[in-house]
Every structure is written in structure tokens, then in C-alpha cells.
Amino acid sequence: MAKAEFEVPSYRKLPTIPALKEGATAHVKPYVADAAVQDALGYPGELVEDWHDKAIGRMGELLDKYRSLRVYLDACVHCGACTDKCHYFLGSADPKNMPVARQELMRKVYRRYFTLPGKLFPGLVGAADLTKDVLDDWFTYFHQCSECRRCSVFCPYGIDTAEITMAAREILNTVGYGMKYTNQILGKVLKIGNNLGLPGPALEDTLQGLEEDIEMDTGVAVKMPLDVQGAEILFVTPSADFFSEPHVESLIGYAKVFHAAGASWTLSTHASEAGNFGLFNGSYEQMRKVAMRIREAALELGVKRIVVGECGHAWRVIYSMWNTLIGVGAGGTDPFAIELQKQLDPRFKQPMHICEYTHDLIQRGVLKLDKSANDHRVVTFHDSCNVARASRMGDVPGGQFTIPRDIVKATCNNFVDMDQDTIHEKTFCCGGGGGVLTDEVLEIRVKGALPRMEALNKVVENNKVNFMATICAICKAQFTKVLPFYGFDMGMVGGVHQLVSDAIVLGDKE
Amino acid sequence: MSLLTIIYAGLFYAATAMLVGGLAYKIYGYWKTPAPLKIPTTPAPITPLGAKLRVWREVLVFESLFKSNKWIWLFGILFHFALALVLLRHLRYFTNPVWEWVVLIQPFGKYAGFAMVAGLAGLWGRRLVVERIRYISTPSDHLMLLLLIGIGASGLGMKFVAHTDIVDVKSFFLGLMHFNLQPLPADPALLVHLALVATLMVIFPMSKLLHAPGVFFSPTRNQADNPREQRHLAPWAAELDK
């Protein structure tokens, strides 16, 4: 079991709600971004002198730009429906990790500066000045939110804490109080093209190495084409897939699927990142800038389709926002959108998830899968929060639950779902999403993983599950790190296309 | 005309103006502020009509709250439905002749007052007893419940304990509506009831009671899940494409 400098929470016998422990994770905060990191994104390098006025000013601007923020800061009635829904609260017992309490950190400031009762009777209505202490609280607790939207499922008004967290982070950035991890990564993707900062030649090298590995392994020359002009499909995947374990196993899986389908496909050095950390910062402009690389690559390579790899928040941005941000989709009537949409093939969903792509091939009998190749595994599936609650796959609501499970079931003989209250729309975040995947906040990552670990433990004990499949690069990295704290092997987690990779029978093999 | 009548007449004109004006101002603000991105909480309906029905399910049966917590749902729905019935029943003080359906619901509306106060008491009990909800409660949360219970209790008092002259009350309100002041009975329970109602009207547009219009404008609930089929673009965001 991994050694921790903090107490790893123990499993609850029943799903009891913890008693409040004020300030339990008040000391857990990410590193503050330095001037170089901030400069690269156009934010002030350090906390500006007039931070108070600037923060309130920015809040006012955001209230005029985002209906969600404006409505959600007004509508909460403190009913308590969300108080026991956040994984970080369940794991830490810190009351400020209850979604409503997290929102109140901003709402109390909103009341003080933007509502009449808050101006006249701050004590009565729970309004407060924006002091340095409050700003520090923002920095701490808005970085103990993974923007997973679980609270929004249960709120009678649909209040989504993620919207508040995003606005708070944007305000913090505006006054020069940014977070190092997220902002550093954004700097890399804007400058080099992917979150890992992997330059073109290195990517080429990596792919060549992988091609050799696959050929050694299978005897089949599966290709991973790069920057192929005129390819039909542009494939975009989180850059972790190129380097990290177990991510790379899924990359091999995608390549085998494309190979088996006989597809004309290509990766791109310019658009070598599906992830979009601009979402975590709640910055529309940044999100657009990051996504723009995909549009540029698609136009330049002249592709007809865009398919994307396994990643949670990325799929949220891709599915729900790419059409808005960069015109990848259909139905556009303005020149910006039409320029790209007239190039894309309207017979296919644009953009398309690799699971939709693979699922379709399985349905049509194009892929040959040998389930027994995964007979050493008993598999469960972890719904990644952003896929589950902020996107869809296929034609019907809930396709994001059935399609990946259908693929898993097509690749193995032993599948079992975890507790109903921890899957589908009620799934628990892995604990590392939303820009929290950095080691200085490991304590909250481990504590936030508690509800998922409890559910996993149950199927491990009852059903001998030994593999948890998921379709998110952050989930994979987070679980690899966190599983050992709960006594599990870190190799228990992997991608859905890792299973596909192991089960697929490549035609020219026999 | 007694001073009392003039004060209460002024109070209700002012409260009505603040309620209507305040709500119009807030709703206009919600309406004109764009939702720049598609953010329905999924799984979500894939058509605009489906999304509208989803919002109405939130309004009429508190769908999400039911998923969350059966106790809050029970007390909440008890209070809101009873309140709705009570409010509809009160239409008889503002219509002449009284509409047929308003007459029909009188027997139910009469007792709905008890359900309303019971629901409020349940909600308040949770606010006091459950540590998490106590932690997030502000003084105004407690006062709001006190105010609503005060309205309910004073109303029930007039109906079941010491009757007030409702014929005079009705002529007072019809008079207000036709700008022709009629005397208001100086019954303490009535005066308390009306003063509390006017207070509620005034604070409505600047308090958490904005959840009522707010739920209709919630993008996580009222947006259809169709981002790949339709390009969703806010005016300020469209500028970036130029």
C-alpha cells in the first residue's frame, strides 16, 4: 500500500454522510503560477495591487456574459440537496467542499456587491466583503472542485457548481492569482501543440516505435500515420496516449481498429492534443484558442471526418462545444462555420468519439473480436464524469453509458457493473479531474477518490473484478496514482480500447 | 377614510410595484444574458420540446430533488403545492363574481393552509437538525421560513379561530384594484397577515425566492442536447469568428 503523509480515509460500512470537520482540507492548495506561466496566457504575473476592484469588475463582466452564473448566484435556496453529493466532501468532511458551501464562497461576495439586501444588511443575508482571506479561500476550495457536475444532477434548479468554479478561476487568473499546473499546461499546448509539450519530431519517433512494437507483437504492420495530406479521418487524442501507461495501450487499440476497418486516417503534429484545459479555467477565449489548432489542422489536411480518442473533459469540449468554438459539427450558417462544414462529410457525426466509431464497426460485424483473450480479466466500467454528465454518444440520451459498455462486453466474457448509485449520471469523479491532477494536492485527490474506491472494492470482493476500464486520460492517470493508497494494484485501470486491442483479431494474421 | 386604510393601501401599491418591477428587472436580466455554451446536464432531451418538458417536470414534480433527497422533496412539494392551492383560493378576494373553479377549490384550499405550515415546519426542522444544512443556513433563511409560517398561521387563525370580516376585506382589495379606496377592517390578525404578505412581496425579487423564475432560465435544464447538429453561438462569441 502506498505511503501517505495524511490519513487515507477508510471505507464506510454504510453510505453514511460524514460529520463536518471544519477546515479539514484548508491546507491543501495547488502551487501558485509564477510570472512566466501567467505571462504566456496574458494574465498578470503576480497578484495585482488593485486586485479587489479588478476582481469585482471581472465578476460583473462575467455576470453579463454567462446566464448560468447570473441565474445560479441568485437561485440557490440552501435546501441542502447537494450537500452530500460531492466526492471531495464525502472523502474530506470539510464543509466547504459541500457544493452549496463552495458556491457560497462566491455567492456571499456577489450578494455584497451586486444585490440590494447584501449592500444594506450583509450579516442578515450572508453577504461578505471580498477580503484577501476570502480570495485565498477561493484559491483553495475552487481548486478542490473537479467540475464533475455531480451536484448539478441533484439540484432542483440545475445549479452547476462547475460554472461557479470556472468563473472563480477566471477571476483569480485576471487578478494574477493563477494555478500553476493548469496554466503551465495551457502554455504548452498553445506554444507546442499538446499538453505534454511533445514537439513534432519526438511524436514521429514515438509513433514509429509503437508501430514496431505492434508488428513485433502481432506480426501485422499496423500504421500510425502522421500529417497525411488528404487522409479521410483526422484523429485527435489526448497527448498522454502517446507516452503514459496505461494510456498508450488504448492508442495501440485505436490504431488496430483503424487498421481492421481499412480506414484512411492520420494524426497531426499541429493538433496533437484532444484535451482542452481552457475549460477548467472557464475561459471561452482560451478554450477557443486551444481548439483552433484542430480546425486549422482539419482545413490544412483536407480531412472529411474528425474522430477523437478516450478523454473525459476533452469529449465534453469536443462534443458540446467544438461546433460553437470552431465549427466542427453541422448546421452552421455563418461563413466561419461553413468554411469547415462544407469540407466535412455530413453522413457522419462530426466530431465522432472513437467509441462511436468502434461500436459501429462491431455492430456491422467489421471487427473480429476474440473475447477469450480477456478471460484473465473480470472487468467493470468507470463512467468518467464529463462524458457521463456533459456529453453524449450515439443517437439517444444515455448512449454515453451503453456504447462503451457494449464495446467492453464485446471484448470480454466477464463484465460486472458497480453499485447503481455510483455509475451512469450518478458516477463519482475519479478525484483528479478539472485541473486537480497535480501532486501537491495529492491529499484531496486520494480523499476524493473514496466513493469510487468503495464501489470498486465491493465488486472486487463480491465479483473478483480485477480490471476497471475507463475512457478518460485523467481518470487513467489519477487511478494509477491513487489505487495503491487503497491497497489495489495500479495496473487495474486501463482504457476500453486496451481491451479492444487485446481482443481484436487482425485479419491478415491468420 | 381611516389612517390605517390609507397606510395599508399605500403599502400594497408599493409592494405590488416592487414585486412586479423587481421581477421584471431580474427576468429581463436573465433573458438578455446569453448562455454562450451548450451545458445541459446529460443525459438530456435531444429536442427543444423535450428540454421544455424537462423544465416543467422540475417545476411540477421537483424531478431532480426527488433524485437527491426524499425528505426535502416531501416537505418541499407539500409546502409548494399547498401554497399554490392557498394562493388560488385567495383569488376570491380579487374577483367579482368569483370564478366557478375558484369556488370549487375552496374546501381544499381551506385545509391546504395546514399542509403548507406542516411542510414549512418540516423544512425548518431539517434546517435546524441536520448539521450540513444548519451550516449553510444564513439568518435570512430562518427568517424567510418564519415569515411564511407567520403568513400561514395568521391566515389559519382568521379561518379557524377568530373570523375576520372577509366581505370588508374583499371590498378593500377590489377597491384597491379600481383605485377606489374602501375601509380595511382593523382586525389584528388580518393586519399582521397583510403586513407579512406585503413584506414577502417586497423581498421576493431580491432574495432566494428568485429560484421561481430562475429555474426556467437554468441552462443545464432548458437546453436541448443537440450541439453536433446545431451551431449554438452567443452574440458576443460570434464576434470572435469575424
Side-chain angles (χ1 to χ4, degrees):
Chain A
M1 202 180 272
K3 264 254 196 24
E5 291 160 4
F6 46 86
E7 202 183 334
V8 177
S10 47
Y11 298 138
R12 299 163 295 171
K13 292 272 181 282
L14 295 163
T16 48
I17 302 156
L20 305 184
K21 274 191 259 170
E22 186 89 49
T25 49
H27 58 285
V28 183
K29 49 187 83 185
Y31 297 138
V32 179
D34 62 28
V37 169
Q38 291 285 95
D39 279 350
L41 303 182
Y43 294 129
E46 57 177 17
L47 190 63
V48 294
E49 225 162 88
D50 57 341
W51 58 267
H52 175 276
D53 295 351
K54 247 184 133 179
I56 299 301
R58 186 69 186 136
M59 193 190 237
E61 287 170 12
L62 294 176
L63 283 166
D64 285 336
K65 286 173 100 173
Y66 290 89
R67 180 183 286 171
S68 53
L69 189 67
R70 180 173 282 269
V71 172
Y72 295 159
L73 287 179
D74 274 339
C76 178
V77 301
H78 296 170
C79 73
C82 62
T83 53
D84 57 347
K85 303 297 186 276
C86 174
H87 53 290
Y88 290 123
F89 170 69
L90 294 173
S92 74
D94 190 318
K96 285 182 183 161
N97 279 326
M98 297 190 291
V100 51
R102 196 186 313 283
Q103 294 165 22
E104 285 295 304
L105 296 175
M106 179 178 282
R107 194 174 280 120
K108 67 184 180 186
V109 175
Y110 164 74
R111 284 202 198 97
R112 185 73 178 114
Y113 297 86
F114 296 93
T115 74
L116 188 63
K119 285 176 185 165
L120 297 177
F121 317 107
L124 185 72
V125 297
D129 290 321
L130 180 61
T131 61
K132 182 64 177 23
D133 282 346
V134 171
L135 201 70
D136 288 341
D137 249 9
W138 282 24
F139 188 77
T140 304
Y141 289 101
F142 286 120
H143 290 114
Q144 293 186 25
C145 169
S146 56
E147 303 173 347
C148 83
R149 316 187 91 203
R150 191 167 194 268
C151 47
S152 87
V153 170
F154 298 98
C155 175
Y157 320 113
I159 297 174
D160 182 5
T161 309
E163 294 292 307
I164 316 270
T165 294
M166 288 170 189
R169 292 183 186 177
E170 165 67 11
I171 293 169
L172 285 167
N173 273 321
T174 308
V175 300
Y177 199 176
M179 181 228 205
K180 184 180 166 199
Y181 171 74
T182 299
N183 287 359
Q184 198 167 43
I185 283 180
L186 274 166
K188 277 190 222 163
V189 71
L190 290 174
K191 195 165 158 217
I192 302 167
N194 54 65
N195 289 356
L196 292 183
L198 190 64
L203 181 58
E204 205 179 329
D205 234 34
T206 305
L207 296 177
Q208 245 167 30
L210 288 171
E211 286 175 348
E212 285 162 19
D213 289 350
I214 301 174
E215 188 157 3
M216 279 224 299
D217 209 31
T218 63
V220 181
V222 172
K223 294 293 163 204
M224 294 193 177
L226 187 63
D227 296 328
V228 178
Q229 192 73 33
E232 192 202 350
I233 297 171
L234 169 63
F235 183 66
V236 187
T237 203
S239 58
D241 285 359
F242 301 125
F243 249 88
S244 309
E245 276 293 340
H247 307 63
V248 71
E249 305 295 335
S250 281
L251 176 62
I252 294 169
Y254 317 143
K256 288 180 181 172
V257 168
F258 284 130
H259 177 92
S264 149
W265 70 291
T266 185
L267 290 154
S268 154
T269 41
H270 185 66
S272 48
E273 179 60 64
N276 193 330
F277 279 28
L279 176 77
F280 301 158
N281 270 350
S283 164
Y284 187 102
E285 290 79 3
Q286 260 171 27
M287 252 199 300
R288 189 170 179 279
K289 241 190 239 172
V290 172
M292 200 57 94
R293 299 183 76 100
I294 284 94
R295 178 187 166 91
E296 289 157 4
L299 286 170
E300 197 192 309
L301 296 170
V303 296
K304 301 281 175 222
R305 304 176 64 178
I306 303 180
V307 179
V308 297
E310 299 177 353
C311 192
H313 84 277
W315 180 239
R316 175 180 191 183
V317 175
I318 290 160
Y319 172 84
S320 293
M321 304 172 182
W322 263 10
N323 201 353
T324 297
L325 295 169
I326 54 167
V328 177
T333 51
D334 54 296
F336 179 84
I338 290 171
E339 185 189 3
L340 180 58
Q341 294 184 0
K342 68 170 192 237
Q343 178 189 313
L344 299 174
D345 189 335
R347 292 173 303 163
F348 300 104
K349 290 192 184 341
Q350 308 279 7
M352 181 179 274
H353 196 283
I354 186 68
C355 283
E356 292 176 307
Y357 184 83
T358 301
H359 188 252
D360 172 63
L361 293 175
I362 294 174
Q363 298 276 302
R364 291 195 282 121
V366 177
L367 295 190
K368 212 167 145 197
L369 296 165
D370 172 17
K371 289 186 184 193
S372 69
N374 281 311
D375 269 353
H376 59 296
R377 291 181 167 133
V378 183
V379 182
T380 191
F381 181 73
H382 163 79
D383 289 287
S384 298
C385 53
N386 273 266
V387 176
R389 290 186 284 261
S391 81
R392 175 163 54 99
M393 288 180 204
D395 297 316
V396 292
Q400 68 269 41
F401 309 135
T402 54
I403 286 176
R405 280 179 175 77
D406 284 351
I407 297 175
V408 171
K409 288 175 195 165
T411 62
C412 71
N413 284 308
N414 315 305
F415 175 80
V416 56
D417 252 324
M418 288 180 276
D419 189 316
Q420 292 300 310
D421 284 339
T422 73
I423 59 170
H424 295 184
E425 70 170 350
K426 293 182 184 169
T427 189
F428 279 104
C429 165
C430 63
V436 184
L437 191 73
T438 177
D439 282 352
E440 71 268 23
V441 295
L442 184 62
E443 178 173 350
I444 199 69
R445 286 169 55 190
V446 169
K447 290 184 169 167
L450 176 74
R452 172 48 75 225
M453 291 297 105
E454 286 174 335
L456 176 64
N457 188 53
K458 239 198 244 174
V459 288
V460 167
E461 289 191 341
N462 297 343
N463 308 85
K464 301 195 166 39
V465 163
N466 59 12
F467 192 84
M468 179 163 64
T470 187
I471 44 172
C472 170
I474 287 177
C475 291
K476 290 171 195 168
Q478 156 76 355
F479 284 133
T480 302
K481 181 97 187 181
V482 162
L483 279 166
F485 284 91
Y486 289 90
F488 297 116
D489 186 280
M490 69 177 190
M492 264 182 85
V493 66
V496 165
H497 279 78
Q498 181 175 342
L499 296 172
V500 174
S501 175
D502 288 349
I504 198 165
V505 181
L506 296 175
D508 33 355
K509 191 178 167 189
E510 271 105 332
Chain B
M1 199 58 50
S2 72
L3 180 62
L4 187 73
T5 300
I6 292 168
I7 289 174
Y8 268 77
L11 181 65
F12 269 88
Y13 281 132
T16 305
M18 289 178 77
L19 175 69
V20 174
L23 271 183
Y25 173 75
K26 291 302 296 193
I27 289 173
Y28 177 70
Y30 297 156
W31 178 74
K32 75 160 191 202
T33 307
L37 293 162
K38 277 286 200 173
I39 59 166
T41 307
T42 59
I46 56 178
T47 63
L49 175 66
K52 277 201 182 71
L53 292 174
R54 182 187 196 183
V55 171
W56 279 106
R57 286 199 303 278
E58 294 290 3
V59 172
L60 294 176
V61 299
F62 303 2
E63 183 178 54
S64 296
L65 187 58
F66 187 78
K67 282 183 202 167
S68 169
N69 186 302
K70 302 292 186 281
W71 285 111
I72 306 178
W73 179 85
L74 180 70
F75 293 136
I77 214 150
L78 193 63
F79 159 62
H80 282 88
F81 274 79
L83 175 66
L85 213 53
V86 168
L87 280 175
L88 293 175
R89 180 177 112 84
H90 277 68
L91 283 175
R92 69 173 179 160
Y93 301 114
F94 302 90
T95 51
N96 201 19
V98 179
W99 302 329
E100 188 71 20
W101 63 269
V102 177
V103 177
L104 284 175
I105 62 167
Q106 289 306 313
F108 308 102
K110 232 162 77 176
Y111 296 100
F114 291 104
M116 175 182 141
V117 173
L120 288 165
L123 290 172
W124 206 354
R126 284 188 60 81
R127 200 171 278 294
L128 293 169
V129 172
V130 178
E131 187 191 23
R132 287 170 286 121
I133 307 183
R134 196 168 63 232
Y135 176 89
I136 56 166
S137 297
T138 60
S140 55
D141 291 329
H142 294 285
L143 288 175
M144 190 73 77
L145 286 162
L146 185 66
L147 177 66
L148 287 164
I149 289 177
I151 291 171
S154 56
L156 288 169
M158 283 183 284
K159 183 75 219 165
F160 294 100
V161 184
H163 285 275
T164 201
D165 190 335
I166 56 166
V167 176
D168 281 359
V169 173
K170 179 164 181 169
S171 76
F172 171 77
F173 277 105
L174 285 174
L176 279 186
M177 289 166 67
H178 296 97
F179 301 101
N180 170 22
L181 286 199
Q182 300 297 319
L184 178 72
D187 174 3
L190 176 68
L191 297 181
V192 168
H193 188 69
L194 294 182
L196 293 179
V197 169
T199 308
L200 186 69
M201 291 164 73
V202 169
I203 61 178
F204 198 106
M206 45 182 141
S207 69
K208 66 178 185 177
L209 301 180
L210 287 168
H211 69 278
V215 64
F216 292 97
F217 290 92
S218 175
T220 63
R221 294 294 182 268
N222 70 14
Q223 288 185 342
D225 172 20
N226 59 358
R228 287 194 284 200
E229 292 75 27
Q230 278 183 20
R231 188 157 196 248
H232 174 92
L233 206 57
W236 65 259
E239 291 302 310
L240 300 173
D241 292 350
K242 284 177 185 152

